[in-house]
Amino acid sequence: MLHIEQVSKVFNPGSPDEKLALSHINLQLRAGEFVTIIGSNGAGKSTLMNLISGVLFPDIGSISIGNQAVTSMPEHARSRFIGRVFQDPMAGTAPSMTIEENLAIAKRRGKRRGLSFGVKRADRKWFKEQLATLGIGLDDRLQAKAGLLSGGERQALSLLMATFMKPKLLLLDEHTAALDPARAELITTLTERIVQEHQLTTLMVTHNMEQAIRLGNRLIMMDKGRIILDIGAEQKRKLTVDKLLYEFERIRGAKLADDRVVLGG
Amino acid sequence: MLGSGFWTAMYKSFELGLLYAIMALGVYVTFRVLDFPDLTVDGSFTTGAGIAAIGISSGLHPLAATLLAVAGGALAGMMTGLIHTKGKINPLLSGILMMIALHSINLRIMGKPNIGLLNQETLFTSLEKGFMFIAVVGALVLVIKFIIDGFLKTDIGLALRATGDNARMIRSFGVKTDSTIVVGVSLSNALVALSGALVAQYQGYADLQSGVGMIVIGLASVIIGEAIFGKRTIARVTFAVLLGAVLYRLILAVALQMEVDSTDLKLLTALIVIFALTLPRIRGNMKQKAVSRKRAVEMMKVGGEG
Ligand SMILES: Nc1ncnc2c1ncn2[C@@H]1O[C@H](COP(=O)(O)OP(=O)(O)OP(=O)(O)O)[C@@H](O)[C@H]1O
Ligand SMILES: [Mg+2]
């Protein structure tokens, strides 16, 4: 489903701030795989997500989604394959627009937009049903502005918007990190259920080790722009936080440097 | 107490207010919907006036001349949009650059600084000034308002609004924000030029300087309207903008009646905008202080009892 070959990315080349953010990354995802990604600060996790979604472009290497080469395809064109949820709850919705208008925008992800009304009567019914699946009462608030929602509610809405049109690829970059533990748990549960239900091919960055182990069927650890550990479904079932930390130390010869790491959930 | 001169002046201001309201709607589209402070307006208003005037005085049907003016405004807006998106120049500067360029272009279009239309047939020739005028032009302005309201609810309209609201989000849903910005700024300046074309026909002349300060007048209309009539929904804001534009003209008329020097009008406009912009903040602060004071008193009482 996703093929990343020999991808590297350098920021500020030739300047004193030069930074090799990604170095010869190879990653192949099969359809339906749910991969969690952990790694130290500045490991290049967000950069990888941005390269996949077309916010940034690789200096060398190639990326394809399905059978489509997307290496130089601009972000807006690539969006037809990709659903995304950002870390910042503000980032995923348009605050001055209503919930139904936000959903209408998401419904046309990657499609042509014309002069027909964004929110049609039939849509409303469908939106309501979709919102109801979140189970947090948003289905009665179609006309409420997204800016009025709490962080958790907004993140749930963003998750719905990213997934209800069944993207080929779902990218989640620490999408629960800005929430309090209870809200984070809610979004995690919703994520698990939605990914399962639509069998979405998913990449999820998290700082929560326990979560990274519990969710998904493959785990990747990144450090200094490289993938240093890639654990498949079989092995992952037996994985514990201690084993993971031990693996990191064994490979890097140093403790995991991550000021935000959460060991347990 | 008030002579008939006063009422004539008010009527005339109301009429003008309706024509300028179209320009204010254009300013609303850039400033509020797109969050793009577009200063092209000062130039494109004159472009509209100039194209209409030169068209009409060279024998074109007034309607055709007006439509041509609209196209000219749209083109000017498109240029500003392209300067910003393709040239990566910030919105304010893009608008200023286009405004300056238009000063020269407008003179090229008009050929001279002032074109009179007094003996020409215009869109308003058969329309009696006064009540009839206000009814017909008022209806036209409302139709434009409803079209804009409707447009902002279409798929493209939603994308346009989201571009101003959260560009990163709308890009992630497949919209090329460069395009929505160009569309929005074009639409805005098309409206501004339409307003310029109509004002020229109303006043019977087009002047090279007629657009100067137009952006502030547009902003004043938007801000006064929002401050007084609220901005809960789009339909409400656009209506507020129309009323704001008319109200602004009436305020000026009253000021002129009170013998404020007409050279001071731009100063007065600036003061009105500053006032309307700071008023909501001051009101909010006062409310906040009152609440804090009340809470402090309550908490002291609780403390005293405990
Ligand atoms: N736009 C940019 N310009 C310059 N350097 C950047 C840019 N974006 C990221 N970097 C650098 O590239 C490296 C990788 O950053 P990235 O954001 O991908 O890390 P991350 O793994 O997501 O880290 P975190 O866990 O802190 O989110 C970092 O050293 C960062 O400072
Ligand atoms: Mg990151």
Side-chain angles (χ1 to χ4, degrees), chain B residues 215-236:
Chain B
I215 184 62
V216 181
I217 296 175
L219 257 188
S221 309
V222 172
I223 292 164
I224 294 172
E226 286 182 348
I228 298 180
F229 304 104
K231 48 181 175 183
R232 193 117 26 88
T233 62
I234 290 192
R236 180 136 175 195

Side-chain angles (χ1 to χ4, degrees), chain A residues 76 79 84 86 90-97 101-102 105-106 108-110 113-118 145 161, chain B residues 150-159 161-162 165-166 168-176 231-234:
Chain A
H76 63 88
S79 73
R84 269 187 285 167
F86 306 105
M90 306 290 201
T93 49
S96 76
M97 299 172 72
E101 286 170 339
N102 272 283
I105 285 173
R108 299 209 68 77
R109 175 170 51 77
R113 286 164 210 265
L115 287 173
S116 60
F117 279 115
K145 293 202 168 148
M161 286 165 60
Chain B
F151 171 70
L152 290 176
K153 291 199 151 88
T154 63
D155 282 320
I156 294 179
L158 292 184
R161 286 161 60 200
D165 211 16
N166 187 346
R168 181 177 174 203
M169 169 263 190
I170 192 66
R171 272 196 297 271
S172 81
F173 287 108
V175 171
K176 194 173 166 188
K231 48 181 175 183
R232 193 117 26 88
T233 62
I234 290 192

Side-chain angles (χ1 to χ4, degrees), chain A residues 115 117, chain B residues 21-22 25 28-29 135 137-154 157 187 191 233-242:
Chain A
L115 287 173
F117 279 115
Chain B
I22 301 171
L25 281 175
Y28 163 74
V29 168
V137 175
L140 170 78
V141 170
L142 279 179
V143 167
I144 293 174
K145 170 206 142 57
F146 286 126
I147 291 175
I148 293 175
D149 290 352
F151 171 70
L152 290 176
K153 291 199 151 88
T154 63
L187 170 68
L191 290 167
T233 62
I234 290 192
R236 180 136 175 195
V237 187
T238 50
F239 195 62
V241 169
L242 299 185

Side-chain angles (χ1 to χ4, degrees), chain B residues 105-282:
Chain B
I105 295 169
N106 290 338
L107 187 54
R108 286 271 173 205
I109 293 172
M110 292 167 62
K112 54 186 177 186
N114 194 297
I115 301 174
L117 290 173
L118 277 183
N119 300 315
Q120 308 278 354
E121 179 163 344
T122 72
L123 283 178
F124 300 135
T125 303
S126 52
L127 197 60
E128 216 177 302
K129 300 250 162 105
F131 178 74
M132 218 22 219
F133 185 95
I134 290 176
V136 172
V137 175
L140 170 78
V141 170
L142 279 179
V143 167
I144 293 174
K145 170 206 142 57
F146 286 126
I147 291 175
I148 293 175
D149 290 352
F151 171 70
L152 290 176
K153 291 199 151 88
T154 63
D155 282 320
I156 294 179
L158 292 184
L160 208 79
R161 286 161 60 200
T163 301
D165 211 16
N166 187 346
R168 181 177 174 203
M169 169 263 190
I170 192 66
R171 272 196 297 271
S172 81
F173 287 108
V175 171
K176 194 173 166 188
T177 47
D178 281 5
S179 310
T180 47
I181 289 172
V182 171
V183 168
V185 181
S186 301
L187 170 68
S188 165
N189 283 286
L191 290 167
V192 171
L194 172 60
S195 176
L198 295 180
V199 168
Q201 294 175 63
Y202 176 87
Q203 294 184 321
Y205 65 87
D207 191 282
L208 194 59
Q209 299 301 320
S210 59
V212 174
M214 204 45 65
I215 184 62
V216 181
I217 296 175
L219 257 188
S221 309
V222 172
I223 292 164
I224 294 172
E226 286 182 348
I228 298 180
F229 304 104
K231 48 181 175 183
R232 193 117 26 88
T233 62
I234 290 192
R236 180 136 175 195
V237 187
T238 50
F239 195 62
V241 169
L242 299 185
L243 293 180
V246 172
L247 200 61
Y248 169 78
R249 282 285 141 193
L250 296 181
I251 294 172
L252 283 200
V254 171
L256 279 176
Q257 290 291 317
M258 285 160 58
E259 300 187 352
V260 172
D261 200 322
S262 67
T263 50
D264 292 335
L265 284 185
K266 297 240 153 92
L267 175 63
L268 180 68
T269 304
L271 290 177
I272 293 174
V273 173
I274 293 171
F275 180 70
L277 277 176
T278 46
L279 185 67
R281 178 115 29 89
I282 295 169

Side-chain angles (χ1 to χ4, degrees), chain A residues 81-247:
Chain A
F81 308 117
I82 300 175
R84 269 187 285 167
V85 184
F86 306 105
Q87 175 176 351
D88 178 3
M90 306 290 201
T93 49
S96 76
M97 299 172 72
T98 62
I99 292 182
E100 62 180 15
E101 286 170 339
N102 272 283
L103 288 165
I105 285 173
K107 184 164 174 257
R108 299 209 68 77
R109 175 170 51 77
K111 299 207 183 85
R112 265 189 61 84
R113 286 164 210 265
L115 287 173
S116 60
F117 279 115
V119 183
K120 298 180 198 71
R121 188 164 311 172
D123 290 334
R124 250 180 216 131
K125 186 161 167 287
W126 188 63
F127 290 162
K128 225 170 142 67
E129 287 164 15
Q130 292 294 315
L131 286 166
T133 64
L134 296 176
I136 51 174
L138 289 184
D139 44 320
D140 294 325
R141 299 172 67 189
L142 280 177
Q143 325 276 346
K145 293 202 168 148
L148 297 175
L149 303 182
S150 74
E153 287 169 338
R154 252 196 253 189
Q155 216 55 342
L157 179 60
S158 303
L159 184 63
L160 181 64
M161 286 165 60
T163 55
F164 73 163
M165 295 308 285
K166 304 192 182 54
K168 281 203 160 122
L169 190 61
L170 176 62
L171 303 180
L172 309 168
D173 191 352
E174 300 189 47
H175 70 310
T176 64
L179 305 174
D180 66 63
R183 295 281 160 182
E185 192 49 44
L186 169 75
I187 299 298
T188 305
T189 313
L190 284 172
T191 305
E192 207 174 0
R193 202 188 68 211
I194 290 172
V195 169
Q196 170 72 29
E197 194 177 298
H198 302 317
Q199 289 295 308
L200 298 176
T201 311
T202 304
L203 274 173
M204 170 173 147
V205 177
T206 174
H207 278 261
N208 184 326
M209 292 240 171
E210 186 274 332
Q211 191 182 61
I213 294 170
R214 178 163 50 94
L215 298 185
N217 43 29
R218 184 171 164 192
L219 183 147
I220 284 173
M221 186 184 264
M222 291 182 66
D223 187 56
K224 298 203 173 73
R226 293 171 191 279
I227 294 176
I228 57 169
L229 200 61
D230 187 343
I231 300 173
E234 194 73 14
Q235 264 184 296
K236 188 165 169 295
R237 271 192 284 275
K238 292 179 267 170
L239 200 61
T240 63
V241 172
D242 285 336
K243 273 193 204 156
L244 204 53
L245 288 173
Y246 172 78
E247 277 298 315

